[in-house]
Amino acid sequence: MKRAALLLLLLLAACDGFPQDRAQACLLDTAREATASLTSAGNFLQRLTRDPGAKAFDIGSMTFANIAFGTCTETAPDAWQCSVEYQMDFSGDGGQALVDLAAALGQDIEARRLETWTFRFGPSLTECAPA
């Protein structure tokens, strides 16, 4: 119930004029880039092995799910700082292994997060990063 109220509050507090669709696309691109850098070493090792079991191993991926934008402040023309609530969603054998490893260390890496992100919107480019 508390999460639903917080999510509703975040949605109501979202700024007018803030291009949420472009910001969400940037967040998803950030997740894709993070997956590519995390899985490149695994893919390389997988290609080197002769073990059929390793070749069948799904390296997996990570994405941001259930993205909600909260309060946004325009910091410069076409630049914003916003609160963003989301959760990380891991898939595949490798993703599940990361979730299990984190759980063994006492962390729930798929739990919802509330962070502050900066966004910069150009004519054809959008940049985003945690603040």
Side-chain angles (χ1 to χ4, degrees):
M1 187 70 165
K2 269 186 164 178
R3 282 189 191 227
L6 178 61
L7 182 58
L8 180 60
L9 179 64
L10 285 172
L11 291 173
L12 291 174
C15 292
D16 291 332
F18 177 72
Q20 289 188 21
D21 54 340
R22 289 183 66 189
Q24 185 165 346
C26 186
L27 289 169
L28 295 174
D29 283 345
T30 300
R32 269 192 292 280
E33 290 169 10
T35 294
S37 34
L38 287 174
T39 60
S40 62
N43 286 329
F44 175 72
L45 291 173
Q46 196 173 32
R47 285 192 302 270
L48 292 177
T49 186
R50 296 180 190 273
D51 180 359
K55 292 205 182 274
F57 184 82
D58 178 5
I59 298 293
S61 66
M62 183 269 299
T63 192
F64 296 147
N66 305 315
I67 299 168
F69 295 94
T71 304
C72 298
T73 304
E74 191 168 12
T75 56
D78 297 321
W80 299 78
Q81 191 169 58
C82 300
S83 59
V84 181
E85 186 179 16
Y86 65 93
Q87 66 190 82
M88 295 170 65
D89 184 31
F90 294 87
S91 65
D93 299 329
Q96 188 58 51
L98 284 175
V99 170
D100 294 344
L101 178 62
L105 297 172
Q107 298 291 318
D108 180 2
I109 59 175
E110 290 184 309
R112 290 203 59 78
R113 301 164 187 251
L114 180 60
E115 297 178 339
T116 301
W117 281 64
T118 57
F119 296 91
R120 189 170 68 89
F121 301 100
S124 61
L125 177 70
T126 301
E127 295 175 339
C128 59

